[in-house]
Amino acid sequence: MCAMSPSRVLSEVYGQAECVRNSYLKSFSDQIVADIYGNAEQITKHVLSKKESQRISFDLTIDNLVTSKWFGYPLMILLLVGVFWLTIEGANFPSELLATVLFAFQDQLTLWFQWAGAPNWVHGVLVLGVYRTLAWVIAVMLPPMAIFFPLFTLLEDSGYLPRIAFNLDHIFKRAKACGKQSLTMCMGFGCNAAGVTSCRIIDSPRERLIAILTNNFVPCNGRFPTLIAITSIFIGGAIASYSGLINALVISTIILLGVAVTLSVSWILSMTILKGEPSSLVLELPSYRRPKIGAVIYRSMLDRTLFVLRRSIIVAAPAGAVIWILANVYIGDQNILSAVAHILNPFGQLIGLDGFILMAFILGLPANEIVLPILIMSYLSTGSLQDYSSLEELRNVLVSNGWTWLTAINVMLFSLLHWPCATTLLTTYKETGSKKWVFLSFLIPTLIGFTACFIFTQVVQFFGLV
Amino acid sequence: MRDAERINSLSDLSLGSDCQIVSLELSGLLRRRILDLGIVPGTLIRCIRRGPSGDPTAYMVRGTLIALRSEDAAQIFVRKLSNGEECV
Amino acid sequence: MILSAEKKNNQFTVALAGNPNVGKSTIFNALTGLHQHTGNWPGKTVDNAQGIYEHQKKSFLIVDLPGTYSLLAHTVEEQIARDYLCFANPDVTVVVLDATCLERNLNLALQVFEITSKVIVCLNLMDEATKKDLVIDVPSLERELGVPVVATAARQGKGLFELRKKIFQVASGSLQPSPRQIKYSSDVENALKELLPLVENIANNTLSPRWIALRLLDGDQSFLRSLSNYLDIDQASFQFQDWEESKCAQ
Ligand SMILES: Nc1nc2c(ncn2[C@@H]2O[C@H](COP(=O)(O)OP(=O)(O)OP(=O)(O)O)[C@@H](O)[C@H]2O)c(=O)[nH]1
Ligand SMILES: [Mg+2]
């Protein structure tokens, strides 16, 4: 092979191989696989012995229930509600505790700053900006995230997720997509970026793109604490008894709405820019394994907490500083924050939000978990309510800024249906390698979000319900 | 032989029945994927359960549970085994 | 990028291959002390991960490959795994098998055996196999396969020391496995005989000619593309440049 380049040699050999291949009648590729399995069978026969098994029937029994015609779907919904109920109830106490401790410490910090004689603006940026935002993220966002994730990991470790895909495949097939999309949606609960990456398990490129473009309709770990906080204030809070369960039902409804939107968008994409017929599904249903409960809970709680803390420090802390500065730099007699919110306001009002909310969503592009903290910060730093020490007062902050139940629902709708966070967009770019799909993954949810909020608001206002 | 008349497609198999793969009339990636999972001519396979709407069906192949859509299973041809023959 | 992982002097590289959901990431975590995500569904790991551990004062770079059902490369993940095993030349390849469905898992192991002889079989999920009343005769499996077989229950940490030891022995050359080669049916073997002389002088010893001939019979285009890339580029500077591309293009 001295004179010729290796690839020339290769292509020649390839040509000769083709001749050899054609000189036989059989398809070699099939024969090769069959032969390998033949060998594997022989080996297995020699080394494996089986006693009459009890365990398989255990798997069968669970599957009979989990995939049954009557219980399959209710069980899925029950699990969804159950997981969120546990999350909401479980997060209540730590949230209160963290809020109390962190805001008490803020006062201490302020004292120390005064004692050190730090200038006002240093105290403002570091304590009222950075620290307070961090405190909000940790008190309101962290507990639900740190409780949901272990629960979800337990489900994942048990082997239940592939059964969801099994149960839902025919619905996805009708939307001309793949049942494995439901697995990627499950991953989306943890983080949409992870959800987008997991779309690689879908073999058909068309169906994979559909899954990538719609992953954002699953509220990720950074978004459902916002949903939980708002439901607790405006819906569960209004009904005193069973508020935890009611909140869980509301969240589940929102998630089911997200699923409905996912299916419709998948179908529309399949009829338009990603035209095609559903391909195939080859799904392995692994046997159930009992998770190591203690280890899973410990590990995933720690993981999630560290993950959130790291992200908070990278994203929330700078955002807090920026918000404080914007709220305290004046142009004329209006600070920049209010000025921007003022510009956005007409637009926000049209869809039942306000300028501050819209701005919080825009500033929340780097990470969804900072949307609510930013919003609270902007209300606090511009409104009349300056001080704040417990979670109950959150309602007052919002109401005094003109929130009604309509605003609350619109915020939840918009949180479910708006652009993906920056990390997700970046991941989408990595996975698809094309700016066009990134742009679409931004545009589709955004358009749907605006439209949904607009229609809902106009209808409610038309009938004078607010 | 009676074998010829007992050739069915995999999708026609009733729950709990055993059969042996005769041929795969699939093409492309799906064919390779299914071969790789050990569904090759001669393999014994048992129909285990159907999804809630009756569509994907799970089959026991070589000790693993594999779900296939009925359109795809319809392209896989099998010979039904009489009760005497054992499966998986 | 993982596939072009810089191998330091004195460091052994170890590849973890296996079917999806057999516990590769769990083993990876147990060996390295890292926290790769694991989960009971096929396809949890789609990204590669690498980590380092020490054994007998030697450093081992371990790569968690995506789970695949075969190396005949019909999907991107399979292609990544195959290209890594073929061209990156890991010092040891650990094939992780699910003891509860041995037959299906051996399919992949036998394919790996055709590529490299520096193989260890890790028979994982032994606890699950016991629960299912499956009894595997490990010494006789070892004889059948011709490679060291280590029985483990990775989540319980069982058998991992033995695994480390075997990895060390194979990497340092003190243990030389001779993996069982697949016996094909006569048609395939005959065709192979015709092809082998043509193939013999293509790849410079690193790749088994038989494996190349098999891929030619298979008509596997993607492998030939990878191979010609590999041959054109000087081996030392070899990197999987088109990996990112191929990932998306398919
Ligand atoms: N009972 C038991 N469970 C195990 C063992 N090893 C791993 N598992 C569990 O098996 C599941 C799959 O493990 P992973 O490590 O994610 O498998 P993987 O091979 O990396 O899977 P992919 O990334 O999908 O290819 C997890 O839920 C583990 O907790 C074991 O030895 N015994
Ligand atoms: Mg893994």
Side-chain angles (χ1 to χ4, degrees):
Chain A
M1 67 176 208
C2 8
M4 276 184 281
S5 93
S7 55
R8 281 264 315 280
V9 176
L10 199 64
S11 57
E12 261 168 42
V13 175
Y14 186 70
Q16 283 161 318
E18 199 133 310
C19 298
V20 175
R21 245 185 310 154
N22 292 338
S23 67
Y24 290 79
L25 286 173
K26 263 191 172 163
S27 147
F28 279 117
S29 49
D30 284 17
Q31 192 58 48
I32 288 174
V33 182
D35 287 347
I36 302 176
Y37 265 107
N39 282 251
E41 266 168 34
Q42 270 179 12
I43 299 172
T44 314
K45 214 182 287 164
H46 281 132
V47 303
L48 183 74
S49 48
K50 190 159 39 175
K51 302 180 218 155
E52 199 37 60
S53 169
Q54 291 298 307
R55 173 76 183 188
I56 288 187
S57 68
F58 168 76
D59 267 19
L60 283 180
T61 321
I62 298 191
D63 270 345
N64 280 341
L65 183 71
V66 158
T67 67
S68 84
K69 202 166 179 175
W70 300 112
F71 294 113
Y73 298 122
L75 203 68
M76 276 164 52
I77 293 179
L78 210 67
L79 272 171
L80 184 71
V81 176
V83 164
F84 277 99
W85 189 33
L86 285 175
T87 304
I88 292 168
E89 293 289 357
N92 241 336
F93 175 70
S95 266
E96 288 290 343
L97 189 72
L98 282 170
T100 317
V101 171
L102 289 172
F103 289 120
F105 187 64
Q106 182 190 327
D107 299 337
Q108 189 58 46
L109 270 179
T110 305
L111 287 181
W112 284 342
F113 271 77
Q114 281 167 359
W115 176 79
N120 251 346
W121 68 267
V122 172
H123 172 254
V125 171
L126 291 183
V127 177
L128 299 179
V130 173
Y131 179 82
R132 213 159 48 155
T133 311
L134 275 180
W136 272 112
V137 172
I138 292 168
V140 179
M141 310 303 282
L142 181 58
M145 298 165 95
I147 290 176
F148 173 84
F149 212 68
L151 293 177
F152 179 77
T153 312
L154 283 178
L155 269 188
E156 187 183 354
D157 255 2
S158 70
Y160 180 65
L161 299 194
R163 272 73 185 180
I164 297 184
F166 182 69
N167 284 348
L168 292 182
D169 179 64
H170 74 282
I171 303 180
F172 280 94
K173 188 167 90 181
R174 230 170 280 161
K176 299 183 195 295
C178 174
K180 287 186 189 172
Q181 192 172 337
S182 53
L183 287 173
T184 68
M185 288 163 71
C186 287
M187 290 299 106
F189 276 118
C191 165
N192 289 130
V196 168
T197 312
S198 72
C199 291
R200 288 190 205 166
I201 59 168
I202 299 174
D203 290 328
S204 143
R206 187 187 72 85
E207 289 163 5
R208 190 182 323 146
L209 266 174
I210 290 178
I212 289 177
L213 293 180
T214 54
N215 194 270
N216 188 51
F217 296 125
V218 178
C220 68
N221 225 301
R223 278 188 282 169
F224 62 69
T226 306
L227 301 179
I228 291 176
I230 294 173
T231 340
S232 310
I233 291 172
F234 282 90
I235 298 170
I239 309 153
S241 45
Y242 304 113
S243 64
L245 190 58
I246 289 168
N247 291 336
L249 285 172
V250 174
I251 305 286
S252 305
T253 313
I254 294 174
I255 286 165
L256 291 181
L257 177 71
V259 174
V261 173
T262 302
L263 287 168
S264 332
V265 172
S266 301
W267 185 78
I268 293 171
L269 284 172
S270 302
M271 301 304 280
T272 54
I273 44 177
L274 285 168
K275 232 185 214 106
E277 287 306 305
S279 62
S280 55
L281 174 87
V282 181
L283 176 73
E284 189 183 349
L285 302 172
S287 49
Y288 293 99
R289 292 173 194 157
R290 211 162 67 87
K292 276 178 98 182
I293 298 175
V296 166
I297 292 181
Y298 170 75
R299 186 69 251 156
S300 51
M301 237 184 211
L302 195 69
D303 262 5
R304 209 19 53 161
T305 310
L306 292 177
F307 173 81
V308 175
L309 286 181
R310 211 191 61 226
R311 272 205 14 165
S312 319
I313 290 165
I314 296 172
V315 181
V322 168
I323 292 286
W324 189 87
I325 292 169
L326 290 181
N328 287 276
V329 174
Y330 284 79
I331 300 171
D333 57 355
Q334 209 178 23
N335 64 47
I336 300 180
L337 197 65
S338 308
V340 175
H342 191 72
I343 297 170
L344 291 173
N345 198 40
F347 211 52
Q349 293 294 343
L350 211 58
I351 57 170
L353 307 175
D354 68 24
F356 284 108
I357 301 174
L358 215 50
M359 189 173 57
F361 274 115
I362 293 171
L363 289 174
L365 181 70
N368 278 305
E369 49 266 51
I370 65 171
V371 170
L372 190 64
I374 286 182
L375 180 61
I376 300 167
M377 294 294 296
S378 351
Y379 281 152
L380 287 180
S381 55
T382 55
S384 51
L385 257 173
Q386 281 283 343
D387 214 17
Y388 186 86
S389 57
S390 88
L391 286 180
E392 276 105 60
E393 290 171 34
L394 188 51
R395 183 188 165 86
N396 297 339
V397 178
L398 297 180
V399 169
S400 71
N401 279 282
W403 278 48
T404 63
W405 62 266
L406 178 63
T407 326
I409 289 182
N410 278 322
V411 170
M412 292 201 277
L413 272 181
F414 200 70
S415 171
L416 178 72
L417 311 167
H418 76 293
W419 50 83
C421 74
T423 320
T424 307
L425 290 172
L426 214 68
T427 311
T428 306
Y429 182 68
K430 267 195 219 147
E431 293 298 312
T432 61
S434 122
K435 296 207 174 77
K436 177 179 136 201
W437 296 119
V438 179
F439 179 67
L440 271 176
S441 78
F442 180 91
L443 193 69
I444 295 171
T446 306
L447 276 181
I448 293 179
F450 275 111
T451 318
C453 291
F454 176 75
I455 294 176
F456 185 64
T457 309
Q458 297 308 318
V459 167
V460 169
Q461 283 173 352
F462 178 79
F463 289 106
L465 295 175
V466 170
Chain B
M1 290 288 286
R2 281 173 58 228
D3 272 4
E5 64 198 48
R6 281 159 79 204
I7 304 261
N8 295 73
S9 83
L10 188 56
S11 58
D12 293 338
L13 218 58
S14 54
L15 284 185
S17 57
D18 293 342
C19 63
Q20 188 171 30
I21 306 288
V22 174
S23 67
L24 288 85
E25 305 300 324
L26 299 155
S27 60
L29 183 65
L30 178 64
R31 179 191 184 89
R32 314 285 320 233
R33 183 37 49 98
I34 284 183
L35 286 170
D36 285 344
L37 284 169
I39 305 181
V40 296
T43 309
L44 299 175
I45 190 168
R46 174 183 286 170
C47 179
I48 299 286
R49 71 179 63 257
R50 299 197 196 284
S53 80
D55 187 13
T57 307
Y59 301 94
M60 183 63 84
V61 193
R62 300 179 192 269
T64 61
L65 203 53
I66 310 282
L68 297 175
R69 285 182 178 166
S70 55
E71 293 90 327
D72 304 330
Q75 308 293 313
I76 299 176
F77 293 95
V78 296
R79 185 175 67 87
K80 268 199 187 153
L81 296 183
S82 48
N83 295 336
E85 294 166 274
E86 262 292 288
C87 173
V88 237
Chain C
M1 209 172 39
I2 209 90
L3 291 177
S4 56
E6 295 269 317
K7 181 188 161 185
K8 284 189 225 126
N9 286 340
N10 262 332
Q11 192 172 47
F12 290 125
T13 47
V14 181
L16 274 182
N19 278 181
N21 205 30
V22 295
K24 293 178 299 300
S25 301
T26 311
I27 291 175
F28 177 87
N29 289 345
L31 290 178
T32 60
L34 294 173
H35 303 294
Q36 270 287 299
H37 290 292
T38 62
N40 189 6
W41 55 284
K44 175 72 197 183
T45 311
V46 284
D47 253 331
N48 289 310
Q50 60 176 331
I52 290 171
Y53 75 91
E54 299 231 333
H55 182 82
Q56 304 256 325
K57 306 215 170 85
K58 278 279 186 189
S59 159
F60 292 80
L61 178 75
I62 183 161
V63 180
D64 185 11
L65 294 172
T68 60
Y69 291 114
S70 111
L71 291 177
L72 305 177
H74 315 128
T75 64
V76 184
E77 274 82 49
E78 286 173 20
Q79 203 174 320
I80 294 170
R82 183 207 56 200
D83 284 356
Y84 188 85
L85 295 180
C86 284
F87 305 126
N89 263 316
D91 293 299
V92 184
T93 302
V94 177
V95 188
V96 185
L97 305 188
D98 177 349
T100 65
C101 47
L102 194 58
E103 207 169 284
R104 219 269 307 284
N105 279 258
L106 280 173
N107 171 47
L108 180 80
L110 291 171
Q111 292 180 32
V112 175
F113 290 178
E114 286 188 318
I115 298 179
T116 167
S117 67
K118 291 176 283 185
V119 194
I120 294 173
V121 162
C122 169
L123 197 57
N124 193 33
L125 292 154
M126 280 306 272
D127 55 323
E128 293 290 328
T130 313
K131 270 190 209 155
K132 289 192 175 178
D133 293 323
L134 299 170
V135 183
I136 296 173
D137 180 353
V138 176
S140 103
L141 181 61
E142 206 158 45
R143 266 195 313 278
E144 289 280 337
L145 297 180
V147 305
V149 177
V150 185
T152 61
R155 215 173 56 179
Q156 285 76 3
K158 289 204 186 106
L160 292 169
F161 182 76
E162 179 71 13
L163 181 62
R164 279 201 189 91
K165 215 167 75 188
K166 284 279 153 55
I167 292 175
F168 178 79
Q169 287 173 354
V170 172
S172 61
S174 68
L175 189 64
Q176 286 182 334
S178 52
R180 169 193 180 120
Q181 295 300 305
I182 302 166
K183 284 187 209 67
Y184 290 98
S185 48
S186 53
D187 270 356
V188 179
E189 291 288 354
N190 288 340
L192 274 180
K193 271 198 205 103
E194 285 180 49
L195 272 181
L196 267 176
L198 306 172
V199 176
E200 224 117 55
N201 55 0
I202 293 186
N204 22 4
N205 291 332
T206 48
L207 278 174
S208 131
R210 189 179 158 89
W211 163 256
I212 299 177
L214 275 164
R215 297 290 71 75
L216 284 168
L217 274 187
D218 205 7
D220 180 347
Q221 303 273 355
S222 83
F223 175 72
L224 297 169
R225 231 176 301 128
S226 299
L227 181 62
S228 67
N229 273 345
Y230 170 68
L231 293 174
D232 275 344
I233 302 165
D234 179 22
Q235 193 179 349
S237 68
F238 175 68
Q239 298 204 334
F240 283 68
Q241 268 138 349
D242 58 353
W243 182 62
E244 287 287 342
E245 280 165 40
S246 66
K247 191 173 69 185
C248 316
Q250 295 239 340

